[in-house]
Amino acid sequence: MTRLANEVRLACQLVSHKVRFESGAPLPPHQLSVLFKLRRGSMTPGELAEEEQVTAPSMTKTLATLESQDLVARSGDPGDGRRRIISITPTGEAALRDAASVRDSFMEAKLATLSDEERATLAEAARILRRVLE
């Protein structure tokens, strides 16, 4: 069981790495990660830094870059004027759709090299992995 757990973990890590870093997505992985988190709902810069496990200055730089591209917007917190709330913009949503499309195309090209039987096996494995991890 330990060997299978290790093999599955390593395969998932490899897929994740290849899709994130080699797919040619239009934004760097760390920026996409922030946008994906904001898709769930607005957050403060501190909450985002904590979620991303980065320092506040690092998150400030990432948010400034995203804001300069109109991918996120800052607004005041109605309950505390000192706090800033970060939200994804419609342009940010479109960037996420574009990134997903590029990443899916990358995987489709990789899967096209497999036989029909291998693709069917992989589809079943994906269903099983989802069930195990949800």
Side-chain angles (χ1 to χ4, degrees):
M1 184 69 72
T2 300
R3 182 170 179 202
L4 175 60
N6 183 262
E7 288 295 322
V8 168
R9 181 182 56 78
L10 291 175
C12 289
Q13 284 177 336
L14 181 60
V15 169
S16 177
H17 179 81
K18 294 278 187 183
V19 169
R20 291 180 73 210
F21 293 98
E22 296 180 21
S23 66
L27 292 172
H30 70 284
Q31 292 178 5
L32 286 170
S33 181
V34 169
L35 292 176
F36 278 115
K37 286 186 176 51
L38 290 172
R39 181 181 264 175
R40 294 184 312 212
S42 300
M43 301 173 79
T44 66
E47 290 168 338
L48 284 165
E50 187 175 317
E51 287 261 335
E52 289 293 300
Q53 298 180 353
V54 299
T55 64
S58 176
M59 183 54 62
T60 297
K61 183 177 177 182
T62 297
L63 292 174
T65 301
L66 292 171
E67 188 175 29
S68 74
Q69 298 174 59
D70 190 37
L71 301 173
V72 301
R74 297 176 198 253
S75 60
D77 183 338
D80 182 349
R82 298 169 295 175
R83 287 179 39 163
R84 307 303 287 165
I85 302 295
I86 310 299
S87 303
I88 191 168
T89 65
T91 304
E93 289 283 357
L96 285 179
R97 286 191 299 276
D98 291 346
S101 178
V102 168
R103 287 175 169 187
D104 287 347
S105 293
F106 174 82
M107 282 304 300
E108 286 173 11
K110 298 294 184 188
L111 297 174
T113 66
L114 301 177
S115 69
D116 289 344
E117 183 178 311
E118 288 172 319
R119 282 194 293 273
T121 300
L122 199 52
E124 181 61 20
R127 282 189 289 278
I128 293 168
L129 281 171
R130 282 183 175 273
R131 188 182 77 228
V132 166
L133 297 172
E134 288 179 339

